[in-house]
Amino acid sequence: MAWPCSSLNPEPRTLNPRFFRRGFTFTEVMFAVILLGIGFIMLAGMFPVAIQQTQTNVEESTASTLVQAATRYMEQTLTQEDVQPTIDPTTSPYPRFFRLTERCDNTNLHTYFANDMTLSDKLRGGFILPQDPRFAWTALYKRNPGDNFAQVIIFALQARNYSTYNLLDLDRYNLPAPGTAQLGTFEPRYLPAYLSDGGAPGIPDIIEFYAPDPNSTVIRDGALAEGCFVVVASDQVVNDDSGTPYFDPGYANGRIYRIGSRRADLDGKLNGNSQVWELMPGHDMQSPEENLPLRQSPHGPTGPQGYTDHKPNGGAQPAVVFVIGKGFTNPHPDPGNPTPDTTFSGFAQDIAVYTTFIRLK
């Protein structure tokens, strides 16, 4: 733009364009604010994921350290005399997994003691991580006759209902009614269970917990939680399936699974008193060969979704599994609460499971 000529302004001159620069419109400002807001929302969404991943990394790192310490402690403490072959002649002639509060006496015709505190008492000083008492461990063990070593499955645990574990968590308390058994805070718990492969891609595998007695009912209805691990103690298989490349009785002992989502719509499918959960992807069954009880032969699912393909006889008992799951609400008596609260609450205590072998002195 040029000014006109005059006596005071003899020559035209150009006006600097920056004095006439146009401002932002309301629409442009709104778009900028919207884009900025979307960016902040996406940035904020990263924090929960980062926090969760950090927590997972801490748990995995601590669990690894804990299991190494537990393995060394058991090897330094336990002898062959302590860890007798794990055969319960009342259930199966094949070695199974025991928790540390049960034991066999090999010198007395494999007499089985359901409540023997020998191993638990010897290991009592090492269950809680001294550097960080929020974490603890417990174990299952199996020893074959003639072996000088034992297979152990170690649970890494984290306190959920209170800040830290202490020695009172190693004591046993009465289960709430109608239960009658005594259990420790993180002592592995028995449950009968059926395991079923989904039978087709995309259909989840399931575990169906059966509760034939008051103690099983209390544990199943209270202690189970998403994320807790399941270890097969005894597969209860008594007949070999000639179509499999291995001898089936006892073959599944020691398998490890993890519980996923609750499936109340499938409750009572195999019997009238059962509770069903999905198995978590990555911690589920690899094939229908893992069904417990054994799947029917010839090999192929015969029921809806493959969930009813168990043999009707010849080894049709449910497997016996161990779970830990939720802890007691408050097992620590104090002047304000002299009676321990042994109802189950919180999240699953078990954060990791490892299996290894220990040499016995």
Side-chain angles (χ1 to χ4, degrees):
M1 178 178 180
W3 292 98
C5 295
S6 68
S7 60
L8 298 178
N9 188 26
E11 296 180 1
R13 57 193 177 114
T14 302
L15 188 65
N16 193 334
R18 72 174 179 270
F19 294 118
F20 288 85
R21 180 175 294 168
R22 184 172 61 86
F24 293 108
T25 66
F26 179 75
T27 303
E28 291 173 329
V29 172
M30 287 298 297
F31 269 111
V33 170
I34 291 171
L35 292 175
L36 188 62
I38 292 174
F40 277 124
I41 291 172
M42 295 178 64
L43 185 63
M46 295 174 59
F47 284 101
V49 177
I51 293 172
Q52 179 63 39
Q53 186 60 47
T54 300
Q55 178 67 21
T56 300
N57 291 341
V58 170
E59 290 179 356
E60 291 178 351
S61 176
T62 304
S64 177
T65 302
L66 190 64
V67 168
Q68 293 179 36
T71 302
R72 289 194 299 269
Y73 194 78
M74 284 189 284
E75 286 189 327
Q76 294 169 0
T77 306
L78 301 179
T79 67
Q80 296 185 46
E81 183 64 26
D82 295 328
V83 183
Q84 298 287 332
T86 53
I87 297 177
D88 178 3
T90 63
T91 59
S92 173
Y94 307 102
R96 51 170 293 178
F97 279 88
F98 287 173
R99 54 188 169 192
L100 296 173
T101 52
E102 54 188 346
R103 188 169 170 265
C104 279
D105 183 359
N106 192 40
T107 62
N108 190 18
L109 300 177
H110 295 294
T111 302
Y112 169 65
F113 298 98
N115 291 291
D116 185 297
M117 304 302 291
T118 301
L119 302 182
S120 181
D121 288 343
K122 290 195 72 170
L123 298 171
R124 185 180 179 90
F127 285 130
I128 299 173
L129 188 65
Q131 301 90 336
D132 190 345
R134 294 177 301 165
F135 297 94
W137 63 272
T138 189
L140 308 174
Y141 72 99
K142 184 185 79 168
R143 182 186 172 195
N144 298 324
D147 289 347
N148 63 348
F149 59 89
Q151 182 181 358
V152 293
I153 297 176
I154 303 173
F155 293 84
L157 311 167
Q158 182 175 358
R160 300 296 192 182
N161 296 332
Y162 32 87
S163 57
T164 61
Y165 289 118
N166 63 42
L167 292 179
L168 292 174
D169 290 303
L170 306 180
D171 295 332
R172 305 177 97 196
Y173 302 95
N174 292 323
L175 287 177
T180 58
Q182 286 194 330
L183 287 174
T185 301
F186 49 73
E187 183 177 359
R189 300 140 186 175
Y190 276 127
L191 279 177
Y194 298 92
L195 286 147
S196 299
D197 182 88
I203 299 177
D205 304 335
I206 63 170
I207 182 167
E208 185 166 6
F209 293 100
Y210 177 50
D213 58 75
N215 293 323
S216 298
T217 300
V218 171
I219 293 170
R220 182 198 65 182
D221 295 346
L224 295 179
E226 183 175 348
C228 72
F229 291 91
V230 176
V231 177
V232 177
S234 176
D235 57 23
Q236 300 292 87
V237 175
V238 296
N239 291 336
D240 184 32
D241 186 337
S242 59
T244 56
Y246 41 76
F247 183 71
D248 292 289
Y251 184 81
N253 295 354
R255 285 182 183 158
I256 301 172
Y257 303 100
R258 198 171 194 180
I259 292 178
S261 302
R262 178 79 168 88
R263 288 295 299 274
D265 59 305
L266 296 176
D267 285 356
K269 195 169 184 65
L270 293 181
N271 56 68
N273 183 25
S274 64
Q275 186 181 108
V276 179
W277 297 71
E278 291 182 2
L279 294 179
M280 189 177 293
H283 300 271
D284 53 359
M285 303 165 67
Q286 300 301 309
S287 76
E289 299 296 341
E290 296 186 26
N291 278 15
L292 292 175
L294 288 178
R295 60 200 296 275
Q296 289 188 10
S297 296
H299 299 260
T302 60
Q305 298 182 339
Y307 290 150
T308 57
D309 61 345
H310 297 290
K311 286 185 176 180
N313 49 49
Q317 290 182 319
V320 175
V321 303
F322 280 114
V323 298
I324 293 181
K326 299 177 184 177
F328 293 139
T329 301
N330 183 12
H332 305 153
D334 55 57
N337 178 33
T339 303
D341 184 351
T342 56
T343 58
F344 297 103
S345 63
F347 299 101
Q349 299 175 94
D350 33 335
I351 57 176
V353 173
Y354 295 81
T355 182
T356 186
F357 293 85
I358 60 170
R359 186 169 296 279
L360 302 170
K361 296 184 294 184

